[in-house]
Amino acid sequence: MEPVKYSVGLDIGTTKIVAIIGKENEYGKIEVLGIGRSKSLGVHRGVVNNITQTITSIQQAVEEAEANSGLKISSVVVGIAGQHIRSLQHSDYITRSDSELVINEDDLDRLCNQVYKLIMLPGEEIIHVLPQEYKVDGQAEIKEPIGMYGGRLEANFHVVVGQVSSIKNVGRCIKSAGLDMGSITLEPLASANAVLSQEEKEAGVALIDIGGGTTDVAIFKDGIIRHTAVIPFGGNVITEDIKEGCSIIEKQAELLKIKFGSAWPGENKDNEIVSIPGLRGREPKEITLKNLSKIIHARVVEIVEQVYMEIKNYGHEDQKKKLIGGIVLTGGGSQLNHLKQLVEYITGMDTRIGYPNEHLAGDSDQDIASPLYATGVGLLMNAIEANAKKKAEKEEAEREEEIVSEQGNYEEATINAGAAKAIVKTERKSIFEKWSDKLKDFLDNAE
């Protein structure tokens, strides 16, 4: 079977479900081929609580994306969030049988797989095992141990844990919608991939993805993920507060928030008033924008303070752990007026709004570069990466088979298999290297 040329990311959110189809272009950027979105019914605070409705919403989003792109979707990479997600630090080691051989991918896989066997609380399972730094024979702070000699390989891991039932429910929805689940990824990690630049991750940065039902936090320092958290509040609680505070229906509250909402009450004059039509011939309601922004402000402050607590838990106040890149806000909730200023005021950290255009091809549709789609774009990137890996592994296996079948002599075959691996590795050269090689050849021939 020919491996799929395009990949799909599916973001199952509390307010919307987005399916994005895309592929990598020749410059290593991501080209979006189609996008579908539907209103998310059956998801509450990032967790599926109504299977049937969620399946329908997924199918709607997928059908729209298929109609947009003219492609058929089979396998997807999904995101997971929700208040059941927690993360912990863990260190583990392996002893290598032969310290004369250099450390290779298999050693790292063995070490990671060992962490997956950790005993968790009942009903929990490990979603991600993310290595941070390695130690080889006691030598610390090694970012990339492959190719080094050593007998004992140690690493610190960032382990992300979630509830088995929630993960299974997501899997069930995907299956029932007629799709295969490629893999499952933590949503804050996906958003971070789409929005942050490498420099920011090095300098230290906190990504805050304010969704409808949850606010996801991912903290990076020295290019490594240091802390992840999911806070069970998002844009929906703000809408709820407006609904209660102004005695209006949810639809009107949502529109008010989007059109006139602000996180900073000082901005509005006392005499700015919005009139909202009453239900079934009742009197229209008049609401001052000052009151509206006071309601929003109170709730946003609560969310930001919880986020700031997570940043402090990570240890931002230590000189060595300081986040120089500050805060990046993304997700639908980041579009609230004056939110950036409020976050800077509460935390005292530099803040910017993150758009997922870091890795998108230049001619992408403007709509897709909205913070709304940060998670979707991140999941698509993960899907592309996973597909590339699968393809490389498949080619490698085919090559080894060919070599072994061609030569009866097994020893020679193993030597050549090693060479084949090297060939596959070199094939993954960056475009720039290929281009410079071509240029060299051209110059040599010109002489």
Side-chain angles (χ1 to χ4, degrees):
M1 192 196 108
E2 171 69 2
V4 194
K5 290 278 193 295
Y6 54 87
S7 310
V8 185
L10 182 70
D11 172 17
I12 303 176
T14 311
T15 33
K16 64 173 184 346
I17 289 182
V18 179
I20 304 180
I21 307 181
K23 66 176 190 337
E24 201 170 41
N25 68 9
E26 67 266 39
Y27 306 111
K29 292 285 186 191
I30 285 163
E31 210 171 295
V32 174
L33 304 171
I35 185 168
R37 63 179 280 188
S38 63
K39 197 166 168 38
S40 173
L41 303 162
V43 180
H44 179 65
R45 291 199 169 159
V47 179
V48 175
N49 67 353
N50 184 324
I51 296 265
T52 336
Q53 283 184 322
T54 307
I55 293 167
T56 318
S57 300
I58 291 174
Q59 282 168 332
Q60 277 176 354
V62 165
E63 279 162 19
E64 191 183 314
E66 286 180 335
N68 260 338
S69 62
L71 299 167
K72 190 91 190 81
I73 293 178
S74 55
S75 159
V76 295
V77 167
V78 254
I80 190 154
Q83 62 200 84
H84 59 89
I85 300 281
R86 66 188 185 96
S87 62
L88 52 119
Q89 300 292 343
H90 171 75
S91 55
D92 216 325
Y93 72 93
I94 55 169
T95 309
R96 301 179 60 239
S97 50
D98 188 353
S99 55
E100 287 305 304
L101 290 173
V102 293
I103 295 168
N104 60 12
E105 290 271 354
D106 299 342
D107 292 319
L108 302 194
D109 289 346
R110 208 175 105 211
L111 183 54
C112 277
N113 290 338
Q114 199 165 295
V115 181
Y116 275 105
K117 295 192 185 88
L118 272 181
I119 309 286
M120 285 294 136
L121 294 173
E124 283 192 329
E125 88 172 92
I126 293 176
I127 305 170
H128 285 297
V129 169
L130 305 158
Q132 298 188 317
E133 287 126 337
Y134 295 93
K135 261 187 193 175
V136 177
D137 290 349
Q139 180 190 344
E141 291 190 12
I142 293 171
K143 292 254 174 89
E144 185 56 273
I146 290 179
M148 296 176 89
Y149 287 105
R152 178 184 162 114
L153 176 66
E154 255 180 285
N156 293 333
F157 292 96
H158 183 78
V159 183
V160 180
V161 184
Q163 237 167 29
V164 175
S165 54
S166 296
I167 298 166
K168 277 192 175 152
N169 286 341
V170 170
R172 168 97 203 279
C173 292
I174 303 272
K175 221 182 176 99
S176 306
L179 302 164
D180 285 341
M181 189 159 83
S183 68
I184 202 155
T185 300
L186 187 64
E187 292 195 354
L189 292 182
S191 316
N193 273 349
V195 167
L196 300 178
S197 68
Q198 196 49 46
E199 284 104 358
E200 281 178 312
K201 288 182 183 176
E202 287 289 340
V205 67
L207 177 86
I208 297 161
D209 182 345
I210 307 173
T214 57
T215 297
D216 306 337
V217 183
I219 297 176
F220 290 83
K221 176 80 178 166
D222 298 330
I224 297 166
I225 178 88
R226 299 293 180 182
H227 187 70
T228 44
V230 177
I231 294 162
F233 298 125
N236 289 0
V237 284
I238 302 174
T239 308
E240 279 289 306
D241 287 357
I242 298 171
K243 183 177 105 175
E244 304 284 325
C246 304
S247 311
I248 53 179
I249 60 170
E250 194 158 334
K251 209 168 163 187
Q252 293 170 332
E254 184 66 29
L255 277 170
L256 259 186
K257 176 180 82 173
I258 293 169
K259 275 214 155 79
F260 302 105
S262 157
W264 200 264
E267 279 298 311
N268 300 108
K269 314 274 185 300
D270 287 338
N271 56 3
E272 289 179 294
I273 290 175
V274 181
S275 181
I276 289 168
L279 297 176
R280 290 302 290 269
R282 291 181 180 80
E283 289 289 300
K285 285 200 167 61
E286 288 192 340
I287 291 164
T288 66
L289 289 191
K290 196 155 197 120
N291 278 347
L292 176 67
S293 60
K294 272 182 185 163
I295 293 171
I296 295 173
H297 176 80
R299 181 59 85 177
V300 172
V301 166
E302 192 182 345
I303 294 173
V304 175
E305 278 176 349
Q306 284 224 5
V307 167
Y308 194 38
M309 203 171 80
E310 290 292 345
I311 295 174
K312 281 184 187 155
N313 284 349
Y314 144 76
H316 166 66
E317 292 174 342
D318 283 6
Q319 198 52 45
K320 276 186 102 166
K321 292 184 170 182
K322 204 167 165 53
L323 303 176
I324 297 161
I327 290 176
V328 177
L329 299 168
T330 192
S334 67
Q335 294 168 307
L336 189 62
N337 284 336
H338 305 110
L339 179 64
K340 171 177 148 11
Q341 288 86 330
L342 180 69
V343 172
E344 284 183 339
Y345 176 72
I346 292 174
T347 62
M349 296 164 77
D350 288 345
T351 305
R352 76 172 176 95
I353 306 290
Y355 298 93
N357 53 7
E358 183 75 26
H359 303 278
L360 289 178
D363 53 359
S364 295
D365 193 2
Q366 278 302 282
D367 298 346
I368 187 104
S370 151
L372 278 170
Y373 296 121
T375 309
V377 171
L379 292 169
L380 172 59
M381 286 167 61
N382 279 21
I384 289 173
E385 209 173 292
N387 271 351
K389 208 171 176 185
K390 259 190 218 147
K391 196 175 162 196
E393 277 170 12
K394 198 174 159 214
E395 281 174 8
E396 201 168 303
E398 279 171 8
R399 280 232 172 83
E400 282 183 21
E401 269 171 38
E402 271 172 34
I403 290 162
V404 173
S405 61
E406 270 173 26
Q407 300 172 328
N409 187 333
Y410 181 69
E411 280 174 18
E412 267 183 49
T414 44
I415 294 164
N416 289 352
K421 276 190 186 172
I423 294 168
V424 174
K425 288 250 166 32
T426 52
E427 271 183 12
R428 289 188 226 156
K429 272 189 182 175
S430 71
I431 284 111
F432 182 71
E433 282 173 6
K434 282 183 194 159
W435 178 79
S436 57
D437 288 349
K438 274 186 189 160
L439 186 64
K440 269 187 211 133
D441 290 353
F442 173 72
L443 294 173
D444 291 346
N445 293 341
E447 282 169 14

